[in-house]
Amino acid sequence: NAGVTQTPKFQVLKTGQSMTLQCAQDMNHEYMSWYRQDPGMGLRLIHYSVGAGITDQGEVPNGYNVSRSTTEDFPLRLLSAAPSQTSVYFCASSYGQKGTGELFFGEGSRLTVL
Amino acid sequence: DQQVKQNSPSLSVQEGRISILNCDYTNSMFDYFLWYKKYPAEGPTFLISISSIKDKNEDGRFTVFLNKSAKHLSLHIVPSQPGDSAVYFCAASAKTTDSWGKLQFGAGTQVVVTP
């Protein structure tokens, strides 16, 4: 059972480039989300999905797009990378309303934008 | 505006002693609280949680206390072990349909357990 899998683990981009961070879960979780971790700020919610075809914005959505075409996958797209998007990104999933609210996290993707 | 605050960025404790981590929140709608542990280069992992209908929850060496009137919770680790050295995040959620699963996290506390 792989849990939540994120790729790539490391990425360096130049300002203005675009890329997609991949996230997949094999626990049949309804909810999936993306957080970013920055020093002194904890984890902040970027985007959120309660099920296939349904997405919602979190606390810091600007500069990011998401889609949820399947229950398993929840990719995060950076449209035009900026140095302010240098961060560690975590994908998470949970059972949703039927569950306890506990999030299961991937190992993270470290992104550097030059 | 951070709704969940961990005001101590770091804590150093001797092996075998008690570690006490504190967390304050401002949103009175929060009714479910979680603690996560994070090692370097890994994702956060769930440690322990507490519902607002309780004031204490215990799981082995870990106990979480909730004081709703003060909007304060704490995590006690007894006894502390070297493997407990990690960053600990406090998180909160509200069980409304709109907010369930949207955890608000504190900034984290780095715990170092010394021999």
Side-chain angles (χ1 to χ4, degrees):
Chain A
N1 191 347
V4 179
T5 303
Q6 291 181 233
T7 56
K9 288 191 168 36
F10 300 94
Q11 183 72 49
V12 178
L13 289 178
K14 294 181 180 176
T15 297
Q17 288 185 317
S18 63
M19 76 155 299
T20 300
L21 298 177
Q22 302 289 346
C23 177
Q25 55 93 6
D26 61 0
M27 297 174 280
N28 201 30
H29 285 169
E30 289 180 62
Y31 286 20
M32 294 187 75
S33 50
W34 277 100
Y35 286 83
R36 59 178 287 175
Q37 184 194 4
D38 300 292
M41 310 214 44
L43 293 103
R44 293 181 292 169
L45 182 64
I46 304 171
H47 281 289
Y48 173 67
S49 170
V50 301
I54 306 169
T55 62
D56 193 8
Q57 293 183 352
E59 185 183 352
V60 288
N62 291 341
Y64 307 95
N65 271 1
V66 292
S67 59
R68 184 103 178 265
S69 56
T70 67
T71 300
E72 295 78 19
D73 300 298
F74 191 45
L76 178 72
R77 297 182 187 83
L78 281 72
L79 306 173
S80 177
S84 61
Q85 293 179 303
T86 294
S87 187
V88 181
Y89 292 85
F90 291 98
C91 180
S93 68
S94 70
Y95 287 105
Q97 288 288 343
K98 296 189 291 289
T100 61
E102 174 191 345
L103 292 180
F104 296 78
F105 284 89
E107 292 187 341
S109 299
R110 181 174 292 274
L111 175 66
T112 302
V113 182
L114 303 175
Chain B
D1 182 32
Q2 276 198 303
Q3 299 182 54
V4 178
K5 297 179 183 178
Q6 294 176 257
N7 292 320
S8 297
S10 63
L11 173 69
S12 183
V13 64
Q14 274 190 316
E15 183 178 0
R17 307 293 287 265
I18 184 171
S19 294
I20 299 177
L21 290 78
N22 293 304
C23 177
D24 297 293
Y25 62 96
T26 57
N27 188 341
S28 58
M29 295 298 291
F30 287 148
D31 55 9
Y32 192 67
F33 305 90
L34 309 90
W35 286 92
Y36 279 81
K37 179 178 181 178
K38 185 183 179 305
Y39 293 118
E42 294 185 10
T45 54
F46 172 74
L47 191 57
I48 192 169
S49 63
I50 187 166
S51 165
S52 60
I53 62 173
K54 296 184 175 182
D55 54 19
K56 177 182 173 181
N57 189 26
E58 235 174 312
D59 184 1
R61 297 186 296 113
F62 302 91
T63 303
V64 56
F65 297 91
L66 176 62
N67 182 334
K68 289 189 293 292
S69 60
K71 294 192 178 68
H72 177 83
L73 62 155
S74 61
L75 175 68
H76 292 208
I77 307 173
V78 185
S80 299
Q81 298 175 353
D84 296 331
S85 296
V87 176
Y88 290 79
F89 291 101
C90 173
S93 182
K95 279 193 177 181
T96 62
T97 303
D98 180 61
S99 299
W100 189 237
K102 289 183 182 179
L103 294 185
Q104 292 273 351
F105 284 85
T109 297
Q110 171 75 61
V111 172
V112 175
V113 180
T114 58

